[in-house]
PDB file of all heavy atoms in Angstrom:
ATOM      1  N   ASN A   1      12.457 -24.625  10.473  1.00  0.00           N
ATOM      2  CA  ASN A   1      13.310 -25.627  11.404  1.00  0.00           C
ATOM      3  C   ASN A   1      13.553 -24.996  12.705  1.00  0.00           C
ATOM      4  O   ASN A   1      14.315 -25.589  13.569  1.00  0.00           O
ATOM      5  CB  ASN A   1      14.558 -25.965  10.618  1.00  0.00           C
ATOM      6  CG  ASN A   1      14.292 -26.869   9.475  1.00  0.00           C
ATOM      7  OD1 ASN A   1      13.454 -27.832   9.618  1.00  0.00           O
ATOM      8  ND2 ASN A   1      15.005 -26.766   8.300  1.00  0.00           N
ATOM      9  N   GLY A   2      13.154 -23.785  12.957  1.00  0.00           N
ATOM     10  CA  GLY A   2      13.174 -23.230  14.291  1.00  0.00           C
ATOM     11  C   GLY A   2      14.423 -22.422  14.597  1.00  0.00           C
ATOM     12  O   GLY A   2      14.727 -22.022  15.771  1.00  0.00           O
ATOM     13  N   ASP A   3      15.268 -22.193  13.609  1.00  0.00           N
ATOM     14  CA  ASP A   3      16.639 -21.473  13.917  1.00  0.00           C
ATOM     15  C   ASP A   3      16.197 -20.028  13.444  1.00  0.00           C
ATOM     16  O   ASP A   3      16.625 -19.513  12.399  1.00  0.00           O
ATOM     17  CB  ASP A   3      17.669 -22.033  12.909  1.00  0.00           C
ATOM     18  CG  ASP A   3      19.088 -21.502  13.441  1.00  0.00           C
ATOM     19  OD1 ASP A   3      19.025 -20.321  14.094  1.00  0.00           O
ATOM     20  OD2 ASP A   3      20.163 -22.012  12.990  1.00  0.00           O
ATOM     21  N   TYR A   4      15.634 -19.304  14.403  1.00  0.00           N
ATOM     22  CA  TYR A   4      15.125 -17.925  14.002  1.00  0.00           C
ATOM     23  C   TYR A   4      16.354 -16.878  13.895  1.00  0.00           C
ATOM     24  O   TYR A   4      16.220 -16.024  13.022  1.00  0.00           O
ATOM     25  CB  TYR A   4      14.179 -17.470  15.112  1.00  0.00           C
ATOM     26  CG  TYR A   4      13.032 -18.439  15.389  1.00  0.00           C
ATOM     27  CD1 TYR A   4      12.824 -19.039  16.600  1.00  0.00           C
ATOM     28  CD2 TYR A   4      12.203 -18.858  14.268  1.00  0.00           C
ATOM     29  CE1 TYR A   4      11.721 -19.931  16.752  1.00  0.00           C
ATOM     30  CE2 TYR A   4      11.128 -19.727  14.506  1.00  0.00           C
ATOM     31  CZ  TYR A   4      11.007 -20.405  15.686  1.00  0.00           C
ATOM     32  OH  TYR A   4      10.017 -21.185  15.902  1.00  0.00           O
ATOM     33  N   GLU A   5      17.391 -16.964  14.650  1.00  0.00           N
ATOM     34  CA  GLU A   5      18.459 -16.152  14.544  1.00  0.00           C
ATOM     35  C   GLU A   5      19.100 -16.120  13.134  1.00  0.00           C
ATOM     36  O   GLU A   5      19.374 -15.232  12.415  1.00  0.00           O
ATOM     37  CB  GLU A   5      19.552 -16.376  15.660  1.00  0.00           C
ATOM     38  CG  GLU A   5      19.117 -16.139  16.972  1.00  0.00           C
ATOM     39  CD  GLU A   5      19.133 -14.575  17.345  1.00  0.00           C
ATOM     40  OE1 GLU A   5      19.445 -13.761  16.465  1.00  0.00           O
ATOM     41  OE2 GLU A   5      18.780 -14.316  18.502  1.00  0.00           O
ATOM     42  N   LYS A   6      19.227 -17.402  12.610  1.00  0.00           N
ATOM     43  CA  LYS A   6      19.833 -17.672  11.330  1.00  0.00           C
ATOM     44  C   LYS A   6      18.845 -17.192  10.255  1.00  0.00           C
ATOM     45  O   LYS A   6      19.268 -16.669   9.118  1.00  0.00           O
ATOM     46  CB  LYS A   6      20.143 -19.184  11.037  1.00  0.00           C
ATOM     47  CG  LYS A   6      21.144 -19.412   9.863  1.00  0.00           C
ATOM     48  CD  LYS A   6      21.558 -20.886   9.932  1.00  0.00           C
ATOM     49  CE  LYS A   6      22.557 -21.180   8.732  1.00  0.00           C
ATOM     50  NZ  LYS A   6      22.871 -22.565   8.643  1.00  0.00           N
ATOM     51  N   ALA A   7      17.614 -17.376  10.456  1.00  0.00           N
ATOM     52  CA  ALA A   7      16.514 -16.991   9.476  1.00  0.00           C
ATOM     53  C   ALA A   7      16.654 -15.461   9.341  1.00  0.00           C
ATOM     54  O   ALA A   7      16.585 -14.962   8.185  1.00  0.00           O
ATOM     55  CB  ALA A   7      15.183 -17.402   9.991  1.00  0.00           C
ATOM     56  N   ALA A   8      16.702 -14.730  10.483  1.00  0.00           N
ATOM     57  CA  ALA A   8      16.902 -13.244  10.495  1.00  0.00           C
ATOM     58  C   ALA A   8      18.069 -12.906   9.612  1.00  0.00           C
ATOM     59  O   ALA A   8      17.956 -11.815   8.843  1.00  0.00           O
ATOM     60  CB  ALA A   8      16.964 -12.774  11.920  1.00  0.00           C
ATOM     61  N   GLU A   9      19.178 -13.581   9.732  1.00  0.00           N
ATOM     62  CA  GLU A   9      20.424 -13.188   8.791  1.00  0.00           C
ATOM     63  C   GLU A   9      20.123 -13.293   7.463  1.00  0.00           C
ATOM     64  O   GLU A   9      20.481 -12.448   6.665  1.00  0.00           O
ATOM     65  CB  GLU A   9      21.577 -14.072   9.332  1.00  0.00           C
ATOM     66  CG  GLU A   9      22.046 -13.876  10.671  1.00  0.00           C
ATOM     67  CD  GLU A   9      22.483 -12.329  10.945  1.00  0.00           C
ATOM     68  OE1 GLU A   9      23.193 -11.720   9.969  1.00  0.00           O
ATOM     69  OE2 GLU A   9      21.978 -11.796  11.938  1.00  0.00           O
ATOM     70  N   PHE A  10      19.351 -14.363   6.987  1.00  0.00           N
ATOM     71  CA  PHE A  10      19.024 -14.552   5.542  1.00  0.00           C
ATOM     72  C   PHE A  10      18.111 -13.400   5.113  1.00  0.00           C
ATOM     73  O   PHE A  10      18.140 -12.806   4.079  1.00  0.00           O
ATOM     74  CB  PHE A  10      18.398 -16.011   5.278  1.00  0.00           C
ATOM     75  CG  PHE A  10      19.441 -16.923   5.166  1.00  0.00           C
ATOM     76  CD1 PHE A  10      19.585 -17.961   6.192  1.00  0.00           C
ATOM     77  CD2 PHE A  10      20.330 -17.018   4.032  1.00  0.00           C
ATOM     78  CE1 PHE A  10      20.611 -18.890   6.019  1.00  0.00           C
ATOM     79  CE2 PHE A  10      21.330 -18.007   4.012  1.00  0.00           C
ATOM     80  CZ  PHE A  10      21.447 -19.008   4.975  1.00  0.00           C
ATOM     81  N   TYR A  11      17.065 -13.031   5.888  1.00  0.00           N
ATOM     82  CA  TYR A  11      16.237 -11.981   5.595  1.00  0.00           C
ATOM     83  C   TYR A  11      16.937 -10.652   5.544  1.00  0.00           C
ATOM     84  O   TYR A  11      16.719  -9.837   4.514  1.00  0.00           O
ATOM     85  CB  TYR A  11      15.044 -11.927   6.533  1.00  0.00           C
ATOM     86  CG  TYR A  11      14.216 -13.112   6.709  1.00  0.00           C
ATOM     87  CD1 TYR A  11      13.724 -13.646   7.793  1.00  0.00           C
ATOM     88  CD2 TYR A  11      13.825 -13.751   5.538  1.00  0.00           C
ATOM     89  CE1 TYR A  11      12.927 -14.757   7.883  1.00  0.00           C
ATOM     90  CE2 TYR A  11      13.038 -14.906   5.618  1.00  0.00           C
ATOM     91  CZ  TYR A  11      12.569 -15.412   6.738  1.00  0.00           C
ATOM     92  OH  TYR A  11      11.771 -16.504   6.821  1.00  0.00           O
ATOM     93  N   LYS A  12      17.910 -10.339   6.438  1.00  0.00           N
ATOM     94  CA  LYS A  12      18.683  -9.130   6.422  1.00  0.00           C
ATOM     95  C   LYS A  12      19.532  -9.041   5.128  1.00  0.00           C
ATOM     96  O   LYS A  12      19.755  -7.968   4.592  1.00  0.00           O
ATOM     97  CB  LYS A  12      19.430  -8.995   7.724  1.00  0.00           C
ATOM     98  CG  LYS A  12      18.591  -8.579   8.822  1.00  0.00           C
ATOM     99  CD  LYS A  12      19.422  -8.203   9.992  1.00  0.00           C
ATOM    100  CE  LYS A  12      19.765  -9.405  10.940  1.00  0.00           C
ATOM    101  NZ  LYS A  12      20.376  -9.032  12.212  1.00  0.00           N
ATOM    102  N   GLU A  13      20.024 -10.157   4.795  1.00  0.00           N
ATOM    103  CA  GLU A  13      20.985 -10.168   3.516  1.00  0.00           C
ATOM    104  C   GLU A  13      20.056 -10.089   2.294  1.00  0.00           C
ATOM    105  O   GLU A  13      20.561  -9.291   1.441  1.00  0.00           O
ATOM    106  CB  GLU A  13      21.619 -11.648   3.488  1.00  0.00           C
ATOM    107  CG  GLU A  13      22.675 -11.662   2.408  1.00  0.00           C
ATOM    108  CD  GLU A  13      23.463 -12.821   2.197  1.00  0.00           C
ATOM    109  OE1 GLU A  13      23.475 -13.682   3.202  1.00  0.00           O
ATOM    110  OE2 GLU A  13      24.131 -13.118   1.128  1.00  0.00           O
ATOM    111  N   ALA A  14      18.845 -10.529   2.342  1.00  0.00           N
ATOM    112  CA  ALA A  14      17.919 -10.240   1.122  1.00  0.00           C
ATOM    113  C   ALA A  14      17.574  -8.714   1.127  1.00  0.00           C
ATOM    114  O   ALA A  14      17.630  -8.171  -0.084  1.00  0.00           O
ATOM    115  CB  ALA A  14      16.657 -11.118   1.353  1.00  0.00           C
ATOM    116  N   LEU A  15      17.428  -8.144   2.248  1.00  0.00           N
ATOM    117  CA  LEU A  15      17.115  -6.716   2.216  1.00  0.00           C
ATOM    118  C   LEU A  15      18.442  -5.865   1.894  1.00  0.00           C
ATOM    119  O   LEU A  15      18.155  -4.762   1.300  1.00  0.00           O
ATOM    120  CB  LEU A  15      16.594  -6.333   3.563  1.00  0.00           C
ATOM    121  CG  LEU A  15      15.172  -6.767   4.022  1.00  0.00           C
ATOM    122  CD1 LEU A  15      14.937  -6.635   5.470  1.00  0.00           C
ATOM    123  CD2 LEU A  15      14.058  -6.001   3.178  1.00  0.00           C
ATOM    124  N   ARG A  16      19.468  -6.362   2.210  1.00  0.00           N
ATOM    125  CA  ARG A  16      20.795  -5.584   1.705  1.00  0.00           C
ATOM    126  C   ARG A  16      20.827  -5.607   0.259  1.00  0.00           C
ATOM    127  O   ARG A  16      21.317  -4.588  -0.294  1.00  0.00           O
ATOM    128  CB  ARG A  16      22.095  -6.212   2.300  1.00  0.00           C
ATOM    129  CG  ARG A  16      22.262  -5.702   3.835  1.00  0.00           C
ATOM    130  CD  ARG A  16      23.655  -6.140   4.338  1.00  0.00           C
ATOM    131  NE  ARG A  16      23.826  -7.549   4.478  1.00  0.00           N
ATOM    132  CZ  ARG A  16      23.535  -8.306   5.531  1.00  0.00           C
ATOM    133  NH1 ARG A  16      22.924  -7.724   6.497  1.00  0.00           N
ATOM    134  NH2 ARG A  16      23.814  -9.547   5.486  1.00  0.00           N
ATOM    135  N   ASN A  17      20.373  -6.804  -0.353  1.00  0.00           N
ATOM    136  CA  ASN A  17      20.527  -6.855  -1.777  1.00  0.00           C
ATOM    137  C   ASN A  17      19.303  -6.189  -2.521  1.00  0.00           C
ATOM    138  O   ASN A  17      19.378  -5.689  -3.665  1.00  0.00           O
ATOM    139  CB  ASN A  17      20.416  -8.319  -2.291  1.00  0.00           C
ATOM    140  CG  ASN A  17      21.761  -8.978  -1.824  1.00  0.00           C
ATOM    141  OD1 ASN A  17      22.852  -8.453  -1.700  1.00  0.00           O
ATOM    142  ND2 ASN A  17      21.694 -10.368  -1.608  1.00  0.00           N
ATOM    143  N   ASP A  18      18.208  -6.017  -1.783  1.00  0.00           N
ATOM    144  CA  ASP A  18      17.046  -5.317  -2.398  1.00  0.00           C
ATOM    145  C   ASP A  18      16.160  -4.780  -1.220  1.00  0.00           C
ATOM    146  O   ASP A  18      15.438  -5.576  -0.608  1.00  0.00           O
ATOM    147  CB  ASP A  18      16.124  -6.292  -3.238  1.00  0.00           C
ATOM    148  CG  ASP A  18      14.966  -5.544  -3.780  1.00  0.00           C
ATOM    149  OD1 ASP A  18      14.796  -4.359  -3.664  1.00  0.00           O
ATOM    150  OD2 ASP A  18      14.220  -6.269  -4.539  1.00  0.00           O
ATOM    151  N   SER A  19      16.326  -3.584  -0.987  1.00  0.00           N
ATOM    152  CA  SER A  19      15.695  -2.865   0.191  1.00  0.00           C
ATOM    153  C   SER A  19      14.175  -2.808   0.019  1.00  0.00           C
ATOM    154  O   SER A  19      13.381  -2.616   1.041  1.00  0.00           O
ATOM    155  CB  SER A  19      16.248  -1.489   0.461  1.00  0.00           C
ATOM    156  OG  SER A  19      16.004  -0.782  -0.620  1.00  0.00           O
ATOM    157  N   SER A  20      13.707  -3.100  -1.200  1.00  0.00           N
ATOM    158  CA  SER A  20      12.184  -3.148  -1.396  1.00  0.00           C
ATOM    159  C   SER A  20      11.670  -4.545  -1.296  1.00  0.00           C
ATOM    160  O   SER A  20      10.483  -4.759  -1.725  1.00  0.00           O
ATOM    161  CB  SER A  20      11.851  -2.384  -2.698  1.00  0.00           C
ATOM    162  OG  SER A  20      12.433  -3.114  -3.747  1.00  0.00           O
ATOM    163  N   CYS A  21      12.428  -5.532  -0.895  1.00  0.00           N
ATOM    164  CA  CYS A  21      11.879  -6.812  -0.881  1.00  0.00           C
ATOM    165  C   CYS A  21      10.869  -6.961   0.373  1.00  0.00           C
ATOM    166  O   CYS A  21      11.301  -7.213   1.455  1.00  0.00           O
ATOM    167  CB  CYS A  21      12.905  -7.835  -0.601  1.00  0.00           C
ATOM    168  SG  CYS A  21      12.575  -9.626  -0.760  1.00  0.00           S
ATOM    169  N   THR A  22       9.650  -6.790   0.040  1.00  0.00           N
ATOM    170  CA  THR A  22       8.560  -6.775   1.219  1.00  0.00           C
ATOM    171  C   THR A  22       8.427  -8.095   1.914  1.00  0.00           C
ATOM    172  O   THR A  22       8.268  -8.242   3.044  1.00  0.00           O
ATOM    173  CB  THR A  22       7.273  -6.391   0.605  1.00  0.00           C
ATOM    174  OG1 THR A  22       6.908  -7.140  -0.455  1.00  0.00           O
ATOM    175  CG2 THR A  22       7.355  -4.817   0.142  1.00  0.00           C
ATOM    176  N   GLU A  23       8.674  -9.244   1.143  1.00  0.00           N
ATOM    177  CA  GLU A  23       8.551 -10.497   1.663  1.00  0.00           C
ATOM    178  C   GLU A  23       9.630 -10.737   2.820  1.00  0.00           C
ATOM    179  O   GLU A  23       9.294 -11.185   3.919  1.00  0.00           O
ATOM    180  CB  GLU A  23       8.628 -11.607   0.767  1.00  0.00           C
ATOM    181  CG  GLU A  23       7.561 -11.691  -0.290  1.00  0.00           C
ATOM    182  CD  GLU A  23       7.828 -10.874  -1.453  1.00  0.00           C
ATOM    183  OE1 GLU A  23       8.786 -10.096  -1.436  1.00  0.00           O
ATOM    184  OE2 GLU A  23       6.929 -10.875  -2.353  1.00  0.00           O
ATOM    185  N   ALA A  24      10.874 -10.280   2.468  1.00  0.00           N
ATOM    186  CA  ALA A  24      11.868 -10.470   3.523  1.00  0.00           C
ATOM    187  C   ALA A  24      11.627  -9.546   4.701  1.00  0.00           C
ATOM    188  O   ALA A  24      11.872  -9.964   5.749  1.00  0.00           O
ATOM    189  CB  ALA A  24      13.302 -10.084   2.849  1.00  0.00           C
ATOM    190  N   LEU A  25      11.138  -8.360   4.445  1.00  0.00           N
ATOM    191  CA  LEU A  25      10.896  -7.437   5.629  1.00  0.00           C
ATOM    192  C   LEU A  25       9.895  -7.941   6.552  1.00  0.00           C
ATOM    193  O   LEU A  25       9.827  -7.931   7.656  1.00  0.00           O
ATOM    194  CB  LEU A  25      10.555  -6.055   4.995  1.00  0.00           C
ATOM    195  CG  LEU A  25      10.500  -4.909   5.978  1.00  0.00           C
ATOM    196  CD1 LEU A  25      11.754  -4.682   6.972  1.00  0.00           C
ATOM    197  CD2 LEU A  25      10.170  -3.546   5.345  1.00  0.00           C
ATOM    198  N   TYR A  26       8.685  -8.456   5.873  1.00  0.00           N
ATOM    199  CA  TYR A  26       7.658  -9.065   6.613  1.00  0.00           C
ATOM    200  C   TYR A  26       8.095 -10.222   7.408  1.00  0.00           C
ATOM    201  O   TYR A  26       7.818 -10.268   8.726  1.00  0.00           O
ATOM    202  CB  TYR A  26       6.463  -9.484   5.681  1.00  0.00           C
ATOM    203  CG  TYR A  26       5.265  -9.912   6.354  1.00  0.00           C
ATOM    204  CD1 TYR A  26       4.200  -9.015   6.658  1.00  0.00           C
ATOM    205  CD2 TYR A  26       5.063 -11.232   6.678  1.00  0.00           C
ATOM    206  CE1 TYR A  26       3.093  -9.403   7.293  1.00  0.00           C
ATOM    207  CE2 TYR A  26       3.803 -11.668   7.335  1.00  0.00           C
ATOM    208  CZ  TYR A  26       2.939 -10.734   7.648  1.00  0.00           C
ATOM    209  OH  TYR A  26       1.745 -11.164   8.340  1.00  0.00           O
ATOM    210  N   ASN A  27       8.756 -11.104   6.831  1.00  0.00           N
ATOM    211  CA  ASN A  27       9.307 -12.269   7.497  1.00  0.00           C
ATOM    212  C   ASN A  27      10.361 -12.054   8.637  1.00  0.00           C
ATOM    213  O   ASN A  27      10.392 -12.680   9.636  1.00  0.00           O
ATOM    214  CB  ASN A  27       9.884 -13.316   6.564  1.00  0.00           C
ATOM    215  CG  ASN A  27       8.843 -13.920   5.572  1.00  0.00           C
ATOM    216  OD1 ASN A  27       7.593 -13.686   5.793  1.00  0.00           O
ATOM    217  ND2 ASN A  27       9.080 -14.558   4.640  1.00  0.00           N
ATOM    218  N   LEU A  28      11.092 -10.975   8.353  1.00  0.00           N
ATOM    219  CA  LEU A  28      12.042 -10.530   9.464  1.00  0.00           C
ATOM    220  C   LEU A  28      11.251  -9.963  10.606  1.00  0.00           C
ATOM    221  O   LEU A  28      11.654 -10.230  11.758  1.00  0.00           O
ATOM    222  CB  LEU A  28      12.888  -9.376   8.869  1.00  0.00           C
ATOM    223  CG  LEU A  28      14.089  -8.846   9.884  1.00  0.00           C
ATOM    224  CD1 LEU A  28      14.998  -9.976  10.270  1.00  0.00           C
ATOM    225  CD2 LEU A  28      14.737  -7.692   9.249  1.00  0.00           C
ATOM    226  N   GLY A  29      10.257  -9.221  10.353  1.00  0.00           N
ATOM    227  CA  GLY A  29       9.292  -8.724  11.536  1.00  0.00           C
ATOM    228  C   GLY A  29       8.788  -9.973  12.212  1.00  0.00           C
ATOM    229  O   GLY A  29       8.755 -10.039  13.523  1.00  0.00           O
ATOM    230  N   LEU A  30       8.250 -10.974  11.508  1.00  0.00           N
ATOM    231  CA  LEU A  30       7.731 -12.241  12.160  1.00  0.00           C
ATOM    232  C   LEU A  30       8.753 -12.881  12.931  1.00  0.00           C
ATOM    233  O   LEU A  30       8.563 -13.388  14.079  1.00  0.00           O
ATOM    234  CB  LEU A  30       7.009 -13.215  11.128  1.00  0.00           C
ATOM    235  CG  LEU A  30       5.880 -12.947  10.434  1.00  0.00           C
ATOM    236  CD1 LEU A  30       5.490 -13.878   9.454  1.00  0.00           C
ATOM    237  CD2 LEU A  30       4.700 -12.429  11.450  1.00  0.00           C
ATOM    238  N   THR A  31      10.102 -12.863  12.398  1.00  0.00           N
ATOM    239  CA  THR A  31      11.195 -13.563  13.117  1.00  0.00           C
ATOM    240  C   THR A  31      11.502 -12.943  14.414  1.00  0.00           C
ATOM    241  O   THR A  31      11.697 -13.450  15.494  1.00  0.00           O
ATOM    242  CB  THR A  31      12.408 -13.646  12.300  1.00  0.00           C
ATOM    243  OG1 THR A  31      12.073 -14.226  11.022  1.00  0.00           O
ATOM    244  CG2 THR A  31      13.559 -14.351  12.927  1.00  0.00           C
TER     245      THR A  31
END
């Protein structure tokens, strides 16, 4: 939906819960 700042927050929260979540890390990089 184009809200990249908010998307980054969700990816960072996913990584805080599981630092090995590669999907979140990849998507955070894209964001």
Side-chain angles (χ1 to χ4, degrees):
N1 286 317
D3 191 345
Y4 306 121
E5 293 286 355
K6 194 170 182 184
E9 290 307 313
F10 281 109
Y11 299 138
K12 286 191 272 191
E13 188 176 345
L15 287 165
R16 280 192 295 273
N17 293 332
D18 179 5
S19 60
S20 67
C21 183
T22 53
E23 294 86 356
L25 188 55
Y26 187 89
N27 292 352
L28 181 60
L30 290 180
T31 305

